[in-house]
Amino acid sequence: MRMRGGWLLLLPAAVAMRVAVLGGGLAGLGTAVPLLDGGADEVHVYDAEVGPGLGGASAVAAGLLHPFTPKGREIWMGQEGFAATSALLQRCEAVSSERVSEASGLLRLALDHDLASELERASRAGGAAAAAPSAALEQRWLSASDASAIAGATVGAGVEGVAHAPSALCVDTPAYLRALWALCGRIARERGSGLEWRCSALPSLAAVAAAASERGEAPYDAVVVCLGSRASDLAELSGLPLRPCRGQNLHLENRAGLETPLICGKYIVPVGEGGDLLLCGATFEYDPEGLREPPSEAEAAAALLAPLEEMLPSIRDAPIVRCDAGVRALPPRSHFGYVPLVCKLPVEVRGARRGDGGGRSALGGGGCAAWLFGGLGSRGLIHHAVLGRSVAEAVLACDESRLPEHTRRLDARMGELLVSHSDTGHSSH
């Protein structure tokens, strides 16, 4: 049992493991930190980029941290996720020279009567949250004019009311990813653990074992797949039920003087030095042929500017500075909404260390194996820390029951969904 950064890790007394984490985005680094906290001997992060915060959906995320659905209700594990991410942000602020986050609040606009009714009910129900131990669920129902005063700019004439979430945070996600990696480095130095970022886009799980072997290293005890939409690119996992969705953002000059983020299907977020830019998005593009295309300023403007002007009319004259894009991985919808997929994968990786019969088995040996942490969709900020902690506990304890039950909802079907590759040593439960 260990206490670290306000988290209680229920782990064996001694943990000596080499872990490969595939993907250096929010899921990957949100798992690497508690792996190191929990005593992993070595953690190697494999990513196609040369360093954190340089690519992928995590690096272009809007950075809005709040626990609400579009109708103002609490999302699955909303309070727990907000608390876990807030705690991790505090640790990151302590090791970073960059501004990682700020208490911005959030204004959710209602542009039709039905949504206004839903948001007003949710706001009044959440009004008492300000006096609760956690104020994360606090919302206040405002008129459009009151919201404009908070925003520092006039919202659209069609706005019928606004739900104000005063506890919401705005996170600079590239800076946060860099800070997470710096935090990993600090923990590794304090503990004497091995830590390495390896710039490599591996084509399969089998290639993970091969990569260690080629370096003359001991086999990994566990592999955690945190590749987002790229998880299905691994040969053994091509059948994963993750739906890729490309999102493009526009960065505009903040001539409107907006001070507080706005959201209503799309989002407008003040970013940059002194909030001199507006991060606006995102498109929802599902065409598989265009998922990896470079961002298109013209396409993004055609899809985004009209709904953005409904929210903030003065945005129409704002010059476009640049456009970026990322591909999110959406999980199958459940009765709790879009809940990430987290589970032990029913695969074996040839060349990985086998169980030693002494209670701590390794990759493919009936205990610790390959694990999936995916399907964060657009909720990476709210879920990466709380679920990353669960993933680390499960991996280090070789115990899948440490994972929230609903994230393991595909276990019964997983063998059918994954493609069998006899040359990788793949097998099903």
Side-chain angles (χ1 to χ4, degrees):
M1 182 181 299
R2 293 183 177 87
M3 178 69 75
R4 182 74 184 216
W7 294 351
L8 183 64
L9 303 181
L10 303 175
L11 302 173
V15 179
M17 297 187 73
R18 284 170 45 84
V19 183
V21 176
L22 308 190
L26 289 170
L29 297 184
T31 301
V33 168
L35 280 171
L36 292 163
D37 280 340
D41 279 348
E42 293 186 69
V43 174
H44 296 160
V45 176
Y46 289 84
D47 194 275
E49 302 294 338
V50 297
L54 297 177
S58 293
V60 299
L64 295 176
L65 176 62
H66 63 86
F68 302 110
T69 70
K71 293 184 178 180
R73 302 168 187 162
E74 183 186 0
I75 65 172
W76 179 81
M77 290 195 75
Q79 289 190 77
E80 300 93 329
F82 189 90
T85 300
S86 297
L88 197 49
L89 281 167
Q90 289 182 359
R91 295 179 69 187
C92 285
E93 297 278 5
V95 300
S96 177
S97 60
E98 302 178 88
R99 186 194 67 176
V100 175
S101 67
E102 63 176 332
S104 62
L106 175 67
L107 295 167
R108 186 178 298 276
L109 312 183
L111 287 167
D112 63 66
H113 179 73
D114 289 342
L115 181 57
S117 297
E118 290 267 11
L119 289 177
E120 183 174 8
R121 281 196 297 271
S123 297
R124 300 202 185 286
S134 170
L137 293 181
E138 180 188 1
Q139 293 186 95
R140 303 166 183 164
W141 184 243
L142 304 177
S143 66
S145 59
D146 287 341
S148 296
I150 292 174
T154 304
V155 301
V159 173
E160 298 195 16
V162 179
H164 179 214
S167 296
L169 303 177
C170 188
V171 179
D172 181 335
T173 50
Y176 179 43
L177 291 167
R178 291 188 289 270
L180 281 169
W181 183 243
L183 178 60
C184 286
R186 171 176 285 188
I187 300 167
R189 289 190 297 274
E190 290 175 350
R191 293 191 53 84
S193 303
L195 176 68
E196 191 173 339
W197 182 284
R198 295 184 170 177
C199 181
S200 179
L202 298 171
S204 65
L205 290 173
V208 182
S213 177
E214 289 170 2
R215 291 171 177 258
E217 298 174 345
Y220 289 113
D221 296 297
V223 175
V224 187
V225 179
C226 304
L227 288 169
S229 64
R230 294 283 190 181
S232 298
D233 292 347
L234 295 175
E236 300 90 344
L237 306 186
S238 60
L240 284 176
L242 296 174
R243 187 183 187 191
C245 174
R246 181 176 185 245
Q248 297 192 72
N249 293 323
L250 290 173
H251 295 251
L252 310 177
E253 290 186 15
N254 187 5
R255 294 187 175 180
L258 185 70
E259 298 173 359
T260 304
L262 308 179
I263 190 168
C264 181
K266 307 303 180 187
Y267 49 76
I268 307 175
V269 184
V271 296
E273 289 296 326
D276 58 341
L277 295 178
L278 297 176
L279 173 59
C280 305
T283 62
F284 292 85
E285 304 170 33
Y286 300 99
D287 180 5
E289 299 299 320
L291 288 176
R292 307 297 174 186
E293 290 294 318
S296 167
E297 184 178 299
E299 289 179 6
L304 294 173
L305 289 181
L308 294 175
E309 286 181 22
E310 283 192 87
M311 300 164 62
L312 186 67
S314 56
I315 208 171
R316 69 171 60 93
D317 299 320
I320 298 174
V321 177
R322 67 179 186 275
C323 178
D324 56 31
V327 181
R328 303 182 291 272
L330 305 181
R333 188 172 176 83
S334 75
H335 61 283
F336 286 120
Y338 290 106
V339 175
L341 302 181
V342 188
C343 62
K344 179 187 169 199
L345 293 166
V347 299
E348 293 182 354
V349 180
R350 186 173 62 193
R353 190 180 300 170
R354 293 282 179 171
D356 59 11
R360 184 184 66 82
S361 56
L363 189 57
C368 293
W371 302 77
L372 172 69
F373 180 12
L376 285 169
S378 60
R379 292 175 177 168
L381 271 178
I382 196 72
H383 285 144
H384 75 287
V386 67
L387 293 181
R389 181 178 64 197
S390 295
V391 172
E393 291 179 2
V395 170
L396 294 173
C398 303
D399 181 3
E400 191 179 17
S401 70
R402 304 294 183 98
L403 301 173
E405 182 178 4
H406 195 62
T407 66
R408 295 180 277 128
R409 64 194 183 279
L410 289 182
D411 279 0
R413 298 176 53 213
M414 193 64 74
E416 306 169 16
L417 293 166
L418 301 184
V419 176
S420 177
H421 290 264
S422 58
D423 62 334
T424 65
H426 170 89
S427 66
S428 298
H429 291 297

